[in-house]
Amino acid sequence: MINHKKLSHLQKYLSAEQRAFPKEYKDPDGYWTAFYMDTQVLAYNTRLLAREDAPKTYEDLLLSKWKGKMAMDDADYIMYGSLLEMMGRARGLSFTKKLAQQDLIVRGGHPLLTQLLIGGEFPIYLDGFGSNIEKFKAQGAPIDWVALEPVIVSLNPVGMAVNAPHPNSARLLVEFLLSKEGQEVGRSVGKIPALPEVEPPYPRLTKGLKLFPVPLSVADRYGEIVKEFREIFLK
């Protein structure tokens, strides 16, 4: 959305509902607002790993006992960029380069990684989306998760196209999606509402956790982040 804004693909629309959203979940100039969000968590196969034995911190991922036992998505630029912002560039680069030396199992696509984890291909999936993990857990899959704090929060925003053919209808849709009623619709299909007053479908994904919404600076440096990620994790 930030890149669309830069390229003038969006038109500004200050929804009356936008005021109820935290500043981290909306564009300061009014071009977009998060409709829903998700937390990136460390998922594990409960048949291969007991909860008490799972990593508890980011630094735990560097322990030798996890070498060759962790999987991650081959395009998780958001996680990489957020770690650099969270830890500071120097420490973040040092951490991610050490992580890359852990013989990670790198595959394309979060749905595939979730299925492989459930199938027992590896015990740990580093960057799972919490709502998906909870959905499969509720269906009886041998899967659960732990939070490495601060927990990275990815945002899924809504905005208006600059050339919207029916702008009044578009405004009404934005108003609905950001309203309490619209947020509850998102919640009904397992999405974590960005509006704080709407209870998430899986409260433990956010309640009591230290959250780290993806900073705008990650999008500003996205091209550089993609290049660095590939050099570190895919070479």
Side-chain angles (χ1 to χ4, degrees), residues 159-170:
M160 280 184 59
V162 70
N163 59 348
H166 305 288
N168 289 331
S169 296

Side-chain angles (χ1 to χ4, degrees), residues 86-105:
M86 181 193 305
M87 297 180 176
R89 181 164 177 81
R91 182 179 162 224
L93 278 175
S94 175
F95 171 80
T96 51
K97 287 177 180 178
K98 290 175 183 176
L99 181 62
Q101 294 171 7
Q102 287 285 69
D103 294 342
L104 299 176
I105 301 160

Side-chain angles (χ1 to χ4, degrees), residues 53-234:
D53 296 328
K56 304 297 190 299
T57 68
Y58 289 105
E59 293 299 329
D60 284 351
L61 303 180
L62 305 183
L63 296 175
S64 59
K65 66 179 179 179
W66 302 124
K67 193 164 188 175
K69 297 180 179 179
M70 301 183 292
M72 70 176 287
D73 186 79
D74 67 355
D76 204 339
Y77 313 125
I78 295 298
M79 182 187 75
Y80 171 72
S82 297
L83 287 172
L84 293 187
E85 293 292 329
M86 181 193 305
M87 297 180 176
R89 181 164 177 81
R91 182 179 162 224
L93 278 175
S94 175
F95 171 80
T96 51
K97 287 177 180 178
K98 290 175 183 176
L99 181 62
Q101 294 171 7
Q102 287 285 69
D103 294 342
L104 299 176
I105 301 160
V106 181
R107 297 289 184 271
H110 291 280
L112 172 63
L113 282 160
T114 303
Q115 292 296 332
L116 292 175
L117 178 69
I118 291 171
E121 295 293 320
F122 39 78
I124 292 175
Y125 167 25
L126 287 179
D127 49 339
F129 285 111
S131 58
N132 286 336
I133 306 304
E134 285 284 358
K135 179 182 70 174
F136 284 106
K137 178 185 173 183
Q139 294 171 357
I143 192 172
D144 206 345
W145 61 272
V146 294
L148 304 184
E149 296 185 273
V151 179
I152 297 170
V153 178
S154 60
L155 306 177
N156 296 269
V158 59
M160 280 184 59
V162 70
N163 59 348
H166 305 288
N168 289 331
S169 296
R171 293 185 187 98
L172 287 173
L173 178 59
V174 170
E175 291 287 349
F176 172 73
L177 292 175
L178 300 183
S179 70
K180 185 177 180 180
E181 182 183 1
Q183 293 284 291
E184 287 174 345
V185 170
R187 179 189 185 280
S188 72
V189 292
K191 303 301 183 183
I192 302 175
L195 184 64
E197 68 177 276
V198 178
E199 186 76 11
Y202 312 107
R204 78 180 263 250
L205 282 172
T206 55
K207 298 298 183 183
L209 297 178
K210 184 178 181 181
L211 303 180
F212 187 82
V214 177
L216 300 183
S217 54
V218 171
D220 288 335
R221 297 180 49 249
Y222 197 71
E224 178 185 345
I225 286 170
V226 169
K227 182 175 182 292
E228 289 181 357
F229 176 93
R230 291 175 177 170
E231 289 174 350
I232 292 172
F233 292 104
L234 305 181

